[in-house]
Amino acid sequence: MVFKKMLQALGVGGPSVDTVLTNPNTYPGGFLEGHVHVVGGDHAVDIEYVAIALTTRVEVESGDSEYQSNQEFQRQRLTGSFKLEPGVRHDVPFRFEVPWQTPITEVYGQHLHGMTMGLATELEVARAVDKSDLDTVAVHPLPAQERILNALLQIGFRFSKADVEKGRVYGVEQHLPFYQEIEFYPPPQYASGINQLELTFLPTPQKLQVVLELDKRGGVFTEGHDAFGSFDVDYATADQVDWVSRLDQWLRQSASRRGLFF
């Protein structure tokens, strides 16, 4: 009996948790729906709560070193406390709001290299270990984001990789403690003046904020320095703009101001 109680304290023979998403595909400002299935083990337990949270991998700079860490950035508690009897199944439906500034992970049906995104489920069991489940989530771009991405590809830029960096972008409205950078290789006509182009999207319900940066240099996102280019996109009129011409013009003008010529 003592041994059985020890096993129970370690979570052995305890409840299991499984989250099933109706659709793992979403977009910034969208939502995820599904059910959390909690099944009782071989003994009754007191469940403190069931919660879900969006998580991603974030690059953190600390002194002269860098490391990656899992970052939870949107959380929703689905239940309060309840008693779960042995073998009993408890289904919890949910509708989870995806923050507007959630990084995108998919572009044109392809996974964006370097990105991870998951919906974590946490089951807090009284006097026992947490039970958790992690489901991959695919975040697709908004139509306005797609137009910017498509224009860069038409100009000739090629995807390199993407990452999420802890910190803040100066001069824009930012809701999360990190931001995504999507990196591109330049086309031949820009290669003599540009080593790399980095794109950051910071959507809000009212507008899409776009930050473009050439040849990333330290301190560009700190106060007193200007990013290469920052502009807002109106969702209602985004399809009326020739983004290829607009971006090409901004690239050339901004590069010229910084003494880069091509």
Side-chain angles (χ1 to χ4, degrees):
M1 181 63 70
V2 174
F3 181 65
K4 184 175 182 180
K5 287 183 178 179
M6 288 177 62
L7 290 177
Q8 290 178 4
L10 293 171
V12 178
S16 63
V17 58
D18 180 36
T19 299
V20 178
L21 291 169
T22 303
N23 186 348
N25 298 284
T26 188
Y27 52 87
F31 59 89
L32 293 164
E33 290 183 320
H35 288 78
V36 177
H37 305 304
V38 183
V39 180
D42 59 14
H43 55 273
V45 295
D46 293 321
I47 306 296
E48 296 293 340
Y49 63 82
V50 177
I52 53 177
L54 267 181
T55 65
T56 189
R57 294 284 287 174
V58 175
E59 189 172 289
V60 182
E61 292 187 8
S62 178
D64 297 329
S65 63
E66 294 183 354
Y67 64 92
Q68 289 192 331
S69 175
N70 289 325
Q71 173 82 55
E72 176 185 298
F73 62 96
Q74 178 81 335
R75 183 180 180 84
Q76 182 178 336
R77 185 173 288 207
L78 303 180
T79 73
S81 60
F82 62 94
K83 191 174 189 66
L84 185 64
E85 298 295 338
V88 172
R89 173 167 164 157
H90 191 78
D91 291 341
V92 185
F94 65 83
R95 180 183 172 93
F96 182 90
E97 293 186 358
V98 176
W100 275 90
Q101 295 183 356
T102 298
I104 62 175
T105 66
E106 316 294 315
V107 177
Y108 300 116
Q110 299 294 317
H111 183 73
L112 202 54
H113 178 66
M115 290 303 305
T116 62
M117 187 71 61
L119 187 70
T121 305
E122 183 180 274
L123 178 69
E124 178 74 20
V125 183
R127 300 179 301 278
V129 295
D130 290 347
K131 300 287 185 179
S132 61
D133 185 34
L134 184 65
D135 295 87
T136 300
V137 171
V139 184
H140 298 264
L142 296 164
Q145 291 174 312
E146 277 194 342
R147 294 188 182 280
I148 301 298
L149 291 167
N150 188 53
L152 289 173
L153 294 177
Q154 287 187 50
I155 292 171
F157 285 90
R158 294 176 294 117
F159 287 116
S160 170
K161 63 184 179 67
D163 63 12
V164 177
E165 299 192 10
K166 188 176 181 63
R168 305 201 66 82
V169 181
Y170 178 69
V172 296
E173 182 181 343
Q174 185 175 344
H175 303 153
L176 300 175
F178 54 73
Y179 57 92
Q180 181 181 36
E181 286 187 342
I182 305 173
E183 300 179 6
F184 295 85
Y185 296 118
Q189 67 268 29
Y190 289 86
S192 62
I194 300 177
N195 292 326
Q196 183 175 265
L197 174 67
E198 294 179 350
L199 167 67
T200 293
F201 288 127
L202 291 166
T204 74
Q206 294 76 32
K207 62 186 178 182
L208 171 63
Q209 301 171 114
V210 181
V211 179
L212 293 171
E213 183 185 353
L214 288 176
D215 298 325
K216 183 174 183 180
R217 295 171 181 146
V220 71
F221 283 142
T222 58
E223 189 169 359
H225 297 267
D226 292 326
F228 153 68
S230 177
F231 59 91
D232 296 338
V233 178
D234 177 43
Y235 296 122
T237 60
D239 61 346
Q240 302 172 20
V241 178
D242 182 350
W243 289 111
V244 172
S245 298
R246 184 74 62 84
L247 288 173
D248 182 70
Q249 180 182 9
W250 280 332
L251 284 165
R252 294 182 181 278
Q253 289 178 349
S254 298
S256 178
R257 286 197 298 268
R258 291 180 60 178
L260 305 174
F261 301 98
F262 41 82

